[in-house]
Structure formats: structure tokens, C-alpha cells
Amino acid sequence: LDASDRERIGAGLVAAVSRATLVNIDHHNYNTRFGVVNWVDPKASAVGEQIWRFARSLEWTLPPNSLRALYVALITDTGQFSYGNTTPRAMRIAADLVAAGVDPETIWRYVYLEKTTQELALEARARMSLTYWADGRIAVIGVRDRDFAETGTDPQATAEFTNIPRSVVGALMALFFYEIEDGRATKVSIRGVRELNACKLARRFGGGGHPQAAGCTLVKPLAEAMEEFRPAAESAAEALGSAAVLPQKREKHE
Ligand SMILES: [Mn+2]
């Protein structure tokens, strides 16, 4: 589920499924169709949406845990119904799940609100790192391996960090760089607005994803990874021109 290629299902499973009938259910545009059966629907906002439709068509009654899992799939893949993939269908399925007993507040508290003191310390560092490229068209944050070490956290604590650069008024692209493998490599999360294709940019660096949300990995420490990535990001953002995305809510501070 939710894997655009065979490697994404994980090393352990790759071995296990090689002798089995592999059913590939996914919504990534560039899915390699690696299964025996492939159901790839790029119009689905989340694979949870596909599973819900599948279960409904077979008239299955799903237990509460499964309903919650489908709801989590919907809210995380749509960025709490904020990304461009937030379709009427996604919202109707969310409504169906709530009608079936899912409690949105409990899930929201658990998935988004509650943070440990360590996670908050890491977030403070991430916010402090905020910087701008291409005259503010691109907002960038970076977290180093030592930030994880010194705050006692790991990359799992960064699930929502792309919202920090995304929140900058007027930014067309949000980038979140963070070191992995003891600082030997750097992951890049790319979020785009408007016509900016985050996936196209990610694919230039061997990554992938969706038009609005994509990522890649560079085998370099953070500073070098940023340096390598920056020209491609800047030309992608500059190609969009300088027209304002939305009426500016506040004067942009220089
Ligand atoms: Mn997904």
C-alpha cells in the first residue's frame, strides 16, 4: 500500500512478497506497476480513500481501528485537508468515517497537537533556521544531525515541519532539509503551491512524490546538499514569475 515502487515496501517485505501474489494499491503518479495486480489511482487523495471504496464495494464492516487508520491516511495525505489533493470525495469519505464513529478530535490531538518537550525544542531550532531564497519565493529550513542528538529526537519528530516554511506569506515553494545517517546524507521535503511541480524537482535528484508534495535524498551533509539543490529550486520558482499567489495578508518584511 502507498508504495510507488518495489523498494518502497521495505527490504524485509521485498524478500517475503517475491514468492507471493503482490497486490499493489497506490495513488502515486509514477507508480512502476510492480505488482501482479496493480490498482493505481493518482486521483485518490490517499490510499486510505481507495481502501475505503474497496471495503464499501465488498460491503465489509470495518472495526474501529481500521476506520481510524483510514481517517489518519486521509488527514495526513491531504495535510489536514489543506493540499491541492483535497477533493470533495476525500472530504465525503472523511465525513463517512466520522459518521461511522471516528472521533476527529482524539485523532487530531494524537497526530498533530501533542508534542514532547524534546520535540518542541527541536521545533524551536527548526524555526530559528528559517531562511529565504529567490527573493522570498522559496522558504527553507534545515535540521542537522546534531540538532536531533542535542534535543534527544529523531526524524520522526519532523513530520509536520514542512508547515514552517509553508506558512511564509508569498512563498511558492517550501523546503525542509534534514540530515540522516549521522549527517552523511540529507533528505529534502518539497512542498509547492500553484503550478510549481514539486515531484518534477524531486525527480531531478532521484526522488519522487506528488505534484504538491515530494522528496529526495542527497548523499551529502546538510550545507552541501542545500548548495547542490538551490540552483534547481531557484530556477523552478523563478519560472513561475513574480505574480502574487494570493493577496498579501501583511506587508512582507524585508
Ligand atoms: Mn499516500
Side-chain angles (χ1 to χ4, degrees):
L1 301 180
D2 214 5
S4 55
D5 58 59
R6 195 182 173 81
E7 281 57 55
R8 296 273 294 188
I9 67 178
L13 267 181
V14 166
V17 297
S18 61
R19 291 174 300 275
T21 299
L22 183 57
V23 179
N24 165 19
I25 303 176
D26 185 38
H27 65 140
H28 291 85
N29 217 350
Y30 294 99
N31 188 290
T32 58
R33 268 81 176 171
F34 56 89
V36 174
V37 176
N38 298 285
W39 177 23
V40 180
D41 179 6
K43 289 204 171 77
S45 59
V47 169
E49 191 179 307
Q50 294 168 272
I51 302 301
W52 173 249
R53 283 157 50 204
F54 182 72
R56 285 268 290 240
S57 71
L58 296 177
E59 293 176 17
W60 286 354
T61 304
L62 296 177
N65 268 345
S66 302
L67 297 173
R68 279 194 287 270
L70 295 181
Y71 187 81
V72 169
L74 275 173
I75 60 170
T76 52
D77 265 22
T78 61
Q80 301 184 70
F81 307 111
S82 73
Y83 302 152
N85 65 354
T86 306
T87 58
R89 185 167 72 183
M91 297 184 106
R92 287 195 186 100
I93 293 172
D96 287 346
L97 290 167
V98 173
V102 170
D103 176 15
E105 187 183 355
T106 304
I107 290 178
W108 171 75
R109 289 191 75 86
Y110 184 78
V111 176
Y112 293 107
L113 181 70
E114 290 172 354
K115 291 170 183 141
T116 64
T117 54
Q118 289 93 334
E119 286 166 350
L120 287 166
L122 184 74
E123 187 181 322
R125 288 178 182 230
R127 288 185 182 275
M128 287 296 291
S129 75
L130 193 54
T131 182
Y132 307 101
W133 296 347
D135 296 323
R137 289 187 189 86
I138 308 173
V140 186
I141 60 167
V143 172
R144 301 157 300 177
D145 182 65
R146 55 174 286 204
D147 295 316
F148 293 120
E150 287 169 14
T151 57
T153 55
D154 62 48
Q156 276 206 319
T158 67
E160 295 304 307
F161 278 19
T162 50
N163 283 334
I164 298 169
R166 274 179 91 210
S167 68
V168 177
V169 175
L172 302 175
M173 187 193 305
L175 298 176
F176 168 40
F177 294 79
Y178 62 99
E179 286 181 331
I180 54 168
E181 293 167 19
D182 302 318
R184 286 188 296 271
T186 300
K187 281 206 173 215
V188 192
S189 289
I190 311 160
R191 298 291 181 274
V193 300
R194 241 189 356 169
E195 304 89 17
L196 186 111
N197 192 323
C199 186
K200 249 188 184 168
L201 183 58
R203 285 171 67 81
R204 288 179 58 178
F205 295 88
H210 302 289
Q212 292 232 334
C216 56
T217 303
L218 284 80
V219 189
K220 285 182 173 177
L222 185 105
E224 289 170 41
M226 281 186 169
E227 208 175 299
E228 184 179 329
F229 196 82
R230 182 170 178 162
E234 289 190 324
S235 56
E238 273 153 14
L240 296 176
S242 54
V245 190
L246 292 167
Q248 299 274 300
K249 276 183 281 192
R250 298 171 205 89
E251 287 298 312
K252 208 164 96 188
H253 33 86
E254 299 304 328

